[in-house]
């Protein structure tokens, strides 16, 4: 075996349950002293693969070699012993501890030494690579970027030679990203191997030596970054167009239903999740929303439905189909919006944690939005029971009874219950987030048919999706979000996957200038 | 280089979540738990005291139901415990951990005692209305404060309600000192001993309802139990409580005003616990002291949990716990045993009942013998 290979993963397969194969026969080499970018769409298995390297998962089959020796990594501790450290997207730090205490945590006493020694060790590492860490600062006083730096220092302090960073730039500002990259280059010069998980093409081109691409759990190829272009990477990432047999009728009786202007909202860190988004959704069409996860899709749907506050100047106007009466939705609660007679349905991404009551059966879940309709102080169980029985039959929901807690149903059946309820109120504005995620082909088609049925009824459907093939086959127009900004609207009948893939990963120049001014 | 052995051996026994369990089976598991705990207690009793365990159990039964008088005391205490547990039910179903029942009982008791002392000249019906309303309001206010802070600033309700208990205890000490009778006794003594004004059992004069002092306690608490059951299971409020208890996100999504429901539910929970304070003072001890609640606010948490917040199941659990308490006190005095022995028995039995919940939720899968591997 080649001596300058730090880690070699060979024929790794990992499945969750019987249906989901996260990694299918993936092989990957990381050389000493290089930065390898691991590129792929959401759900392509990047993080799962790396979790097997860092001891969080164990592969079903396949071998891992570290420094040319076969290694079995059963826990993060084993990984550390082999010199592998991973910096996760969600930091694993204790808020009320200082930087030093966090580094000492979990280390054996004879290794960790006194706090002074650790502080000195931290300083050495910082000087060597150009980090900026105050050993006595408490974690809760740190910014996101400082926390990430601390995570990296912690990993280095524990002697890691192979560092895995899971989407490290997702939480950083451009300046912070630059700083991180310069540190990574210093570490590379020092002979460390770095794997960086990302789906931002410009970053791949900026920092990596080689790039390996995964698609739907399969290994596609590894390219020398010097020879790669945005175009070639996009093609490898999204793959050939797959023809899906989803029926799509032409848009009839197109009429304005939802007029969104300058919609801006903040995430919990106070940065802009959505930045000045303007578009109109029409009745009788399916409008797709494409974008890398976390580009503002969730905030978009939640601010339309009254769950997420919007900044001043935002406007979301609903046009009632019968009277053409216009209603401003911003600043109203879910209940106020419903009381105004806005026939909106919303299938959220988190089915059991938001769309349904996990511990209740189908029957009780059916009245989640209508339990108040009954007169007096009691709920009407008869109506919800009838509706549950009807939906169970119509959508072929597999459940022992309509009283079985929905969390015990399979993912597809859970989604049928949720979509079934949302459609039963006969909406004329239908929002759906990742409606077919994790569902098998048949159930997915059931959902597509239901959405098409809505479209035929003159309903405006907004469909947030992640599978570009589905978006292109199902939708009439597609909006592409990139980093919270609207990066373009395309006609789904003529657009190509590459075109959308580029727009997802590359903010167009105009937009970038807007952002900086 | 560290090389790690890969352990291929399957664990000897592992637990896996059950999909569902028939009701009779669950009941059988619980029954087994009680029987096993009684057997273990029997061994323990015999090894320590050399007394025939069956006789000890007989003494326990006598302690709780040995005479008409004793039976009614058992009933009275059961009702008290049940009332508190019923009060906790809505809060707990909402996953609002109200550990402040002790305090809510005490403030309810204080206002009841105050009415008995200062308003005894009022007509009986008016006096009772004053007592009931004031105890409910006091308990509700004691529950409102932590709920308000939780809704507004997301404070931790467990600590907040717990600390409110200590405030209530201090408040009770203050009133005990204020109402001290006779002077220097450091107790309030029995209030209105001669005229029985404000005594629940004497509400209709000396002709007690059904000839029993505590029949009104039973009627009030049983009514509350039924009402609470219906409220939680069939009302719109009950539905909102259940949704919030499952997921606040789902509640927000469906348009429920989470903060409003939290505050409303804690008002109800506190009011019922305050009413328990009324029962304790007007319906049982006719006095007030810092031990009026006597830890029952915490015991009721066990009752509420074991009953899975079903108020009808709470009746059975309350009976069991009060029976154990009474029986344990009896054997302690009858056989000159230390008080701790009775606590031990109660503890062992509760331990087994709680432990049996594990076997109801999980089934054990033992490693299959696999000869080819060996």
């Amino acid at each position: 075996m080649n001596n300058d290979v730090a880690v070699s993963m060979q024929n790794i397969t990992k499945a969750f349950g019987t249906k989901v194969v996260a990694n299918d026969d993936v092989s990957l080499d990381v050389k000493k002293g290089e930065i390898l970018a691991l590129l792929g769409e959401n759900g392509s298995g990047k993080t799962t693969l790396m979790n097997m390297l860092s001891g969080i998962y164990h592969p079903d089959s396949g071998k891992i070699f570290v420094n040319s020796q076969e290694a079995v990594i059963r826990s993060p501790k084993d990984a550390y012993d082999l010199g592998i450290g991973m910096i996760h997207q969600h930091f694993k730090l204790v808020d009320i501890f200082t930087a030093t205490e966090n580094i000492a945590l979990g280390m054996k006493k004879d290794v960790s030494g006194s706090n002074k020694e650790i502080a000195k060790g931290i300083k050495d590492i910082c000087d060597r690579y150009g980090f900026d860490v105050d050993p006595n600062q408490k974690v809760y006083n740190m910014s996101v970027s400082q926390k990430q730096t601390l995570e990296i220092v912690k990993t280095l302090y524990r002697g890691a030679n192979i560092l895995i960073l899971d989407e490290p730039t997702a939480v950083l500002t451009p300046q912070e990203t630059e700083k991180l990259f310069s540190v990574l280059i210093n570490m590379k010069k020092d002979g460390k191997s770095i794997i960086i998980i990302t789906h931002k093409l410009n970053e791949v081109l900026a920092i990596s030596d080689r790039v390996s691409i995964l698609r739907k759990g399969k290994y596609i190829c590894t390219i020398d970054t010097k020879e790669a272009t945005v175009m070639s990477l996009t093609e490898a990432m999204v793959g050939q167009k797959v023809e899906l047999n989803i029926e799509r009728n032409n848009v009839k009786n197109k009429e304005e239903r939802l007029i969104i202007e300058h919609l801006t909202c903040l995430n919990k860190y106070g940065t802009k999740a959505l930045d000045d988004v303007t578009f109109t959704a029409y009745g009788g069409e399916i409008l797709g929303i494409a974008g890398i996860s976390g580009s503002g899709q969730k905030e978009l749907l939640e601010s339309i439905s009254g769950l997420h506050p919007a900044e001043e100047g935002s406007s979301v106007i609903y046009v009632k189909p019968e009277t053409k009466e216009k209603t401003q939705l911003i600043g109203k609660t879910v209940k106020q919006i419903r009381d105004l007679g806005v026939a909106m349905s919303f299938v959220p991404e988190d089915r059991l944690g938001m769309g349904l009551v996990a511990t209740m059966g189908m029957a009780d879940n059916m009245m989640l939005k209508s339990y108040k309709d009954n007169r007096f102080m009691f709920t009407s169980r008869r109506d919800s029971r009838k509706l549950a029985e009807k939906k169970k039959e119509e959508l072929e929901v597999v459940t022992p009874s309509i009283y079985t807690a929905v969390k015990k149903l399979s993912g597809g059946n859970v989604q049928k219950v949720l979509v079934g309820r949302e459609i039963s109120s006969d909406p004329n504005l239908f929002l759906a987030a990742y409606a077919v995620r994790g569902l098998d082909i048949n159930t997915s088609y059931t959902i597509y048919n239901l959405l098409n049925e809505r479209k035929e009824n003159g309903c405006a459907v907004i469909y947030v999706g992640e599978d570009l093939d589905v978006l292109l086959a199902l939708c009439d127009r597609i909006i592409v979000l990139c980093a919270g900004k609207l990066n373009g609207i395309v006609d789904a009948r003529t657009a190509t996957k590459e075109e959308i893939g580029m727009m997802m990963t590359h903010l167009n120049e105009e937009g970038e200038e807007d952002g900086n001014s | 280089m560290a090389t790690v052995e890969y352990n291929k051996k399957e664990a000897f026994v592992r637990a896996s979540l059950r999909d569902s369990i028939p009701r009779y089976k669950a009941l059988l598991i619980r029954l087994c738990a009680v029987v096993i705990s009684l057997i273990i207690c029997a061994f323990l009793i015999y090894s320590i005291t050399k007394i025939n365990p069956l006789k000890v159990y007989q003494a326990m039964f006598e302690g709780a139901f040995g005479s008409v008088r004793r039976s009614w005391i058992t009933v009275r205490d059961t009702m008290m415990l049940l009332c508190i547990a019923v009060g906790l039910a809505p809060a707990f179903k909402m996953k609002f951990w109200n550990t402040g029942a002790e305090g809510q009982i005490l403030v309810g008791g204080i206002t009841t005692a105050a009415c008995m002392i200062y308003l005894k000249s009022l007509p009986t019906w008016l006096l009772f209305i004053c007592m009931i309303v004031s105890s409910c309001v006091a308990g509700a206010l004691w529950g409102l404060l932590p709920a308000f802070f939780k809704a507004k600033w997301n404070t931790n309700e467990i600590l907040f309600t717990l600390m409110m208990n200590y405030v209530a205890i201090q408040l009770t000490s203050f009133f005990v000192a204020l109402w001290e009778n006779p002077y220097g006794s450091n107790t309030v003594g029995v209030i209105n001993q001669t005229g029985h004004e404000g005594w629940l059992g004497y509400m209709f004069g000396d002709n007690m309802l059904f000839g029993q002092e505590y029949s009104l306690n039973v009627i009030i608490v049983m009514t509350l139990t039924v009402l609470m059951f219906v409220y939680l299971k069939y009302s719109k409020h009950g539905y909102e409580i259940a949704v919030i208890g499952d997921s606040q996100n789902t509640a927000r999504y469906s348009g429920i005003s989470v903060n409003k429901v939290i505050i409303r539910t804690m008002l109800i929970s506190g009011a019922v616990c305050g009413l328990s304070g009324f029962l304790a003072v007007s319906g049982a001890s006719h006095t007030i002291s810092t031990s009026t609640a006597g830890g029952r606010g915490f015991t009721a948490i066990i009752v509420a949990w074991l009953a899975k917040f079903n108020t009808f199941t709470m009746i059975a659990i309350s009976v069991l716990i009060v029976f154990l308490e009474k029986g344990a006190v009896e054997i302690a005095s009858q056989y000159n045993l230390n008080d701790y022995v009775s606590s031990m028995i109660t503890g062992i039995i509760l331990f087994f009942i709680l432990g049996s919940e594990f076997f109801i939720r999980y089934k054990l899968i033992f490693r299959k013998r696999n000869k080819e591997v060996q």
Side-chain angles (χ1 to χ4, degrees), chain A residues 338 346 359 364 371 374 408, chain B residues 19 236 239-240 246 253:
Chain A
R338 196 180 311 145
F346 178 23
T359 52
D364 282 352
Y371 71 95
N374 201 26
K408 289 187 176 163
Chain B
D19 282 342
K236 292 173 183 173
Y239 185 75
E240 287 170 349
D246 189 278
Y253 163 84

Side-chain angles (χ1 to χ4, degrees), chain A residues 209-245:
Chain A
D209 298 306
R210 292 188 307 147
V211 46
S212 291
I213 294 157
L214 296 183
R215 184 166 73 223
K216 293 185 177 157
K218 289 201 172 67
Y219 171 78
I220 302 301
C221 61
T222 299
I223 314 172
D224 275 339
T225 309
K226 280 183 294 224
E227 290 153 23
T229 61
V230 171
M231 203 60 214
S232 67
L233 290 178
T234 310
E235 264 179 35
M237 196 165 105
V238 298
Q240 289 296 305
K241 190 175 175 187
V242 182
E243 281 302 325
L244 292 170
N245 214 355

Side-chain angles (χ1 to χ4, degrees), chain B residues 60-365:
Chain B
M60 276 181 88
F61 188 81
E62 273 170 15
F65 300 112
S67 66
V68 176
R69 169 88 195 146
R70 277 180 174 174
S71 301
W72 272 103
I73 297 283
T74 304
V75 168
R76 179 194 78 189
D77 288 359
T78 305
M79 288 305 131
M80 173 77 188
L81 187 62
L82 178 60
C83 187
I84 305 164
V86 166
L88 291 179
F92 274 34
K93 197 156 183 198
M94 194 175 65
K95 298 235 167 79
F96 186 103
W97 308 121
N98 177 13
T99 55
E102 289 277 299
Q104 290 147 19
I105 297 163
L106 280 178
V107 292
I110 291 172
T111 57
T112 306
C115 290
M116 286 166 78
I117 291 169
Y118 297 119
L119 305 175
K120 67 177 168 188
S121 51
L122 286 180
T124 310
W125 61 273
L126 193 59
L127 175 60
F128 272 95
I129 288 179
C130 286
M131 289 196 297
I132 291 174
V133 169
S134 67
S135 64
C136 284
V137 168
L141 286 177
W142 228 246
L144 169 70
L145 206 60
F148 178 77
F149 276 77
K150 170 90 176 177
K152 209 79 183 159
W153 294 289
N154 198 25
T155 53
N156 183 322
E157 77 275 13
I158 301 179
L159 289 176
F160 206 128
T161 49
L162 199 65
M163 288 192 287
M164 291 292 282
N165 290 341
Y166 299 102
V167 179
I169 290 173
Q170 294 302 321
L171 210 60
T172 313
S173 303
F174 169 77
F175 281 105
V176 168
L178 186 71
W179 296 329
E180 198 177 43
N181 178 31
Y183 183 75
S185 67
N186 205 19
T187 61
V188 176
V190 178
I191 304 168
N192 302 342
Q193 184 142 34
T194 44
H196 298 177
E197 292 95 344
W199 288 34
L200 189 57
Y202 292 80
M203 194 172 167
F204 305 107
D206 284 338
N207 297 323
M208 287 183 240
L209 200 60
F210 305 121
Q212 284 301 335
E213 195 180 343
Y214 303 122
S215 42
L216 263 175
N217 298 31
V218 177
I219 293 170
I220 291 174
V221 177
M222 286 321 239
T223 315
L224 271 177
T225 307
V226 174
L227 285 180
M228 188 59 81
F229 182 84
V230 173
Y231 178 75
L232 287 178
K233 187 141 191 194
Y234 297 108
S235 78
K236 292 173 183 173
H237 288 185
Y239 185 75
E240 287 170 349
I241 289 171
V243 173
I244 292 178
D246 189 278
S247 153
Q248 293 205 4
N249 256 341
T250 306
R252 253 177 237 120
Y253 163 84
S254 78
I256 295 170
S257 164
V258 175
N259 290 348
K260 194 178 108 190
V261 176
I262 287 181
I263 288 174
R264 184 182 67 204
T265 307
M266 265 313 281
L267 281 176
I268 293 170
S269 177
V272 177
C273 290
L275 193 72
S276 320
F278 159 78
L279 285 180
V281 173
S282 164
S285 68
H286 315 299
T287 183
I288 177 93
S289 74
T290 48
S291 60
T292 292
R296 281 177 284 203
F298 296 119
T299 313
I301 296 176
I302 304 176
V303 177
W305 260 107
L306 277 177
K308 303 228 170 72
F309 319 135
N310 179 323
T311 55
F312 286 138
T313 320
M314 285 177 191
I315 301 175
I317 313 259
S318 304
V319 170
L320 176 76
I321 286 184
V322 174
F323 166 76
L324 286 175
E325 257 170 34
K326 299 284 163 209
V329 171
E330 176 68 17
I331 54 171
S333 61
Q334 202 171 330
Y335 292 101
N336 276 332
L337 295 178
N338 193 310
D339 251 5
Y340 294 120
V341 176
S342 50
S343 305
M344 268 164 61
I345 295 175
T346 317
I348 289 171
I349 295 175
L350 279 180
F351 177 84
F352 272 86
I353 295 174
L354 287 167
S356 72
E357 295 300 309
F358 173 84
F359 294 96
I360 290 168
R361 291 200 51 191
Y362 295 90
K363 60 180 171 224
L364 296 182
I365 299 167

